[in-house]
Amino acid sequence: MELPQAPQGDGKFAGWFCDGKEAEEDQILNDDKEFYAVFRQDIKEARISDIPASCYNGMEIKPTFTVKYQDELLTENADYTVSWKNNVNIGTATAVITGIGKFFGTKEISYVIEAHRWNGAMKTVKEPTALVYGRAERKCTVCGKTESKQLAN
């Protein structure tokens, strides 16, 4: 007996499956085996959480984010994979989400890599004395990194 034509269902028809694997066209349909249709969903319909701006650090920046399809939280490497574009230098970077398993297609989300934004000029936080060095510092308003310098005694 041949496998039936593609059935109608929610999503893109991915094929007939039997015993957890894709059925072959010449596979014999027995009463003791259960055949079922599998449909895949387009990852473009998933919701991806916002990715906040990151500060340049000279290395690849791969921020974390969540991917949801309807109310289901998807899992990386089970439902989708991620590849990265332009994620080292200052500018716009992109995460490319590719559906796998029950999902197909791709979806991209952009995020910004920017230079540190300091909260003003260096401020003295410890006055130097004749015996010890002092210290001035400032903080990045984006990533919270503190930059400091030693003040002579």
Side-chain angles (χ1 to χ4, degrees):
M1 177 178 200
E2 290 182 20
L3 291 172
Q5 294 295 320
Q8 299 298 312
D10 181 30
K12 181 180 177 184
F13 178 65
W16 290 100
F17 284 71
C18 177
D19 295 333
K21 56 186 176 190
E22 193 166 0
E24 298 172 11
E25 282 195 35
D26 59 349
Q27 189 165 356
I28 298 171
L29 299 175
N30 295 332
D31 288 338
D32 64 334
K33 295 195 179 203
E34 183 178 326
F35 285 83
Y36 52 94
V38 172
F39 293 89
R40 297 174 74 201
Q41 305 302 320
D42 194 340
I43 200 78
K44 285 182 183 174
E45 296 174 20
R47 291 183 324 279
I48 301 170
S49 64
D50 289 336
I51 300 175
S54 299
C55 288
Y56 171 78
N57 63 12
M59 299 175 3
E60 279 191 298
I61 296 177
K62 297 179 176 180
T64 58
F65 55 87
T66 59
V67 180
K68 284 188 173 184
Y69 181 80
Q70 295 173 347
D71 290 329
E72 178 186 357
L73 182 62
L74 304 186
T75 304
E76 187 175 357
N77 297 321
D79 299 314
Y80 66 91
T81 59
V82 181
S83 58
W84 306 90
K85 292 195 261 184
N86 305 319
N87 66 330
V88 175
N89 295 317
I90 292 172
T92 301
T94 306
V96 180
I97 294 94
T98 302
I100 59 174
K102 337 185 254 197
F103 296 90
F104 71 96
T106 61
K107 183 170 186 166
E108 295 185 356
I109 185 167
S110 297
Y111 58 100
V112 176
I113 300 173
E114 58 185 42
H116 290 288
R117 281 191 264 152
W118 303 108
N119 63 347
M122 292 274 201
K123 295 185 178 123
T124 301
V125 293
K126 181 179 175 189
E127 292 288 342
T129 68
L131 301 174
V132 295
Y133 290 102
R135 190 175 85 246
E137 64 183 37
R138 63 183 178 175
K139 193 171 195 168
C140 176
T141 59
V142 176
C143 68
K145 177 182 177 178
T146 300
E147 181 180 74
S148 62
K149 71 177 182 179
Q150 187 173 307
L151 301 174
N153 56 347

